[in-house]
Amino acid sequence: MLNRGLLLFGLLLTGSPAVAEDPVVAVDTLKGESLRGVLSSLTDAQLVLQTEQGPQEILVSELLAVRPDAAAAARSADGEVRLADGTRLAAANYTSGATSARFEHPRYGELTVPLDRVTSARLLAAEGNSVAIWTQLLERPLKKDLLAIKKAEVVDHLDGVVGSVDDKTVRFVLDGEEVPVKRERVFGLIYFRRDGAPRPTIAATIDTIDGDRLSAGKVTWADGRWRVELPGGIPLEAETGVFRTLDFSLGKVLYLSEVDPRNVEHVSWWDEPWVNFTYRRNRNFDGKPLRLAGKTWPRGLAIHSLTTLTYRLGGDYRRFVALAGIDDEIRAHGNVLLTISGDDKTLYEGEIGVENPRRPAIPLDLDVTGVVELKIKVDFGKNNDIGDRLHLVDARVTK
């Protein structure tokens, strides 16, 4: 584990001092490296990390994630504003006019954003039954704007057109007639936005200690400050300790559980139609979270023996990475032969299961440079078990 005091002392001796406010961070790269050190700088082009082995310069194009040691106190507000790029911000005193919206953030102060970038504005605190109701409303397909009204413990809604919002009134057009609604009754607003708007370039997705999520078009670290620019040119600044995770993986990583295989082949061992061992995404065959090597995994594939999955990579990726093993619930008797090939060339083949009792999970890291089609074949192992359930957790390809 990195000792910050010793590291800073060593850096001072070598003439490369780190600023006192510079955060200690963990860094993951596309090459599979996991580094830890003091963040000296982050620009559009590269990250400079001071480690016990000396300074490390990492191209932003090679970054997967940066995880600072967060230490600042969290700040919150009752409301929340969501933007079309995926940004979520705590918000108070939301108002809007014809072209822009304004609100106060507990950390960044007053913010002004183009109204056409706002997808929703929750004006009251989400608590009790209102949390689930509001979540359902956010997921509804819309044909008009939506006005959510708080009635005791229930949130009701109306479809229409949201007009201007001030500190007393929300103007709402219902069936062609404008209705002024007292702001104190309004739980939230959801704006209808047509598809087809150009997607902004996102450099990183940032999760903060305040519960915000920032889709950053640009993010830098210098002079003891994070500087973020949201799509649309909205600037934010934050001190060290505010950001929990900076995810640079967008467009660089593809999780196999998030896409459809080009082809699925499965031979059922059972004649009963109710037995379905077609592969599963992010769940085991009992509908439970994936369990492997004593841990729960949010992403991955559950694959029964006599199954072959083919994925089209198009030659765009360099590495296939996953952890392979038998579902913890049946590991005592599960055993499979796993074969992974790229364009019909075998990249990995091995028995997984009871033949390796001391290795409940096998790490895979395969070169798939130039591979157009990736094929994952799960067959019976030596024991010809019929209860085989292979888990490929965190299965992904990276550029």
Side-chain angles (χ1 to χ4, degrees):
M1 181 179 295
L2 182 74
N3 184 305
R4 183 182 175 96
L6 289 176
L7 176 58
L8 292 176
F9 179 70
L11 293 172
L12 287 168
L13 290 178
T14 59
S16 302
V19 178
E21 293 81 6
D22 285 349
V24 173
V25 300
V27 176
D28 298 329
T29 75
L30 280 173
K31 297 178 181 179
E33 301 167 312
S34 292
L35 306 172
R36 187 169 173 81
V38 175
L39 178 62
S40 289
S41 66
L42 173 62
T43 68
D44 293 341
Q46 74 172 12
L47 176 149
V48 179
L49 188 70
Q50 301 290 350
T51 72
E52 291 177 330
Q53 289 73 41
Q56 302 283 331
E57 297 180 353
I58 305 165
L59 295 176
V60 169
S61 60
E62 293 290 329
L63 279 180
L64 275 182
V66 177
R67 297 185 301 279
D69 289 354
R75 302 178 187 178
S76 62
D78 286 343
E80 180 190 71
V81 168
R82 297 191 179 201
L83 306 182
D85 54 58
T87 292
R88 303 195 306 262
L89 289 161
N93 302 322
Y94 175 86
T95 61
S96 68
T99 60
S100 63
R102 293 181 178 83
F103 57 94
E104 295 175 10
H105 188 279
R107 186 176 301 278
Y108 310 122
E110 184 175 288
L111 299 176
T112 300
V113 300
L115 184 59
D116 61 5
R117 302 197 65 82
V118 180
T119 57
S120 69
R122 178 167 51 78
L123 308 186
L124 302 179
E127 52 192 12
N129 295 333
S130 66
V131 176
I133 298 172
W134 180 246
T135 300
Q136 292 172 4
L137 292 177
L138 288 172
E139 295 173 351
R140 272 187 60 182
L142 299 180
K143 294 184 179 180
K144 295 183 177 181
D145 296 342
L146 185 148
L147 177 75
I149 303 292
K150 184 70 178 290
K151 296 181 178 179
E153 296 299 315
V154 177
V155 176
D156 203 352
H157 67 275
L158 298 168
D159 295 326
V161 179
V162 174
S164 63
V165 179
D166 59 33
D167 58 352
K168 291 186 172 63
T169 305
V170 175
R171 303 192 183 281
F172 189 68
V173 178
L174 180 65
D175 297 329
E177 182 179 349
E178 183 175 282
V179 180
V181 182
K182 290 183 178 180
R183 181 191 176 101
E184 62 196 39
R185 297 183 56 206
V186 177
F187 183 82
L189 312 166
I190 302 177
Y191 295 90
F192 168 66
R193 302 297 185 206
R194 294 185 182 276
D195 295 333
R199 293 185 178 274
T201 300
I202 306 299
T205 300
I206 304 170
D207 290 319
T208 79
I209 61 169
D210 302 320
D212 296 329
R213 170 160 288 187
L214 311 177
S215 296
K218 180 178 181 180
V219 55
T220 62
W221 170 266
D223 304 322
R225 303 287 292 176
W226 292 106
R227 292 177 176 84
V228 173
E229 186 176 288
L230 304 182
I234 305 165
L236 301 177
E237 285 195 16
E239 69 273 17
T240 182
V242 172
F243 293 169
R244 289 189 186 278
T245 305
L246 296 87
D247 184 352
F248 289 85
S249 67
L250 186 65
K252 303 175 185 177
V253 178
L254 178 68
Y255 286 89
L256 298 190
S257 58
E258 296 176 355
V259 295
D260 293 324
R262 186 188 65 77
N263 188 53
V264 179
E265 299 175 20
H266 174 65
V267 179
S268 178
W269 184 261
W270 308 90
D271 293 330
E272 291 84 352
W274 53 269
V275 177
N276 182 5
F277 282 129
T278 305
Y279 85 105
R280 305 291 173 87
R281 301 181 189 178
N282 304 326
R283 294 281 169 178
N284 70 7
F285 285 101
D286 298 318
K288 301 176 183 178
L290 296 171
R291 292 280 300 173
L292 183 61
K295 293 177 59 179
T296 298
W297 302 84
R299 288 183 289 209
L301 303 172
I303 310 173
H304 201 273
S305 52
L306 301 182
T307 299
T308 301
L309 305 178
T310 303
Y311 293 88
R312 182 169 180 80
L313 304 184
D316 296 332
Y317 297 87
R318 293 187 297 175
R319 297 172 59 236
F320 170 80
V321 180
L323 202 60
I326 301 298
D327 184 342
D328 278 1
E329 295 187 7
I330 65 162
R331 184 155 49 87
H333 56 83
N335 192 61
V336 302
L337 175 65
L338 172 63
T339 304
I340 300 176
S341 57
D343 296 336
D344 296 324
K345 177 183 177 182
T346 299
L347 305 177
Y348 174 86
E349 185 171 82
E351 292 268 344
I352 295 179
V354 294
E355 297 299 317
N356 299 291
R358 295 185 180 180
R359 297 188 70 192
I362 309 296
L364 303 175
D365 190 343
L366 310 177
D367 185 356
V368 294
T369 302
V371 169
V372 175
E373 287 196 340
L374 181 75
K375 187 174 290 186
I376 300 171
K377 181 178 181 180
V378 180
D379 208 342
F380 286 141
K382 293 179 181 178
N383 298 342
N384 287 324
D385 296 312
I386 61 173
D388 303 332
R389 300 182 185 182
L390 177 75
H391 286 178
L392 279 179
V393 299
D394 258 4
R396 62 197 186 274
V397 287
T398 61
K399 290 187 174 181

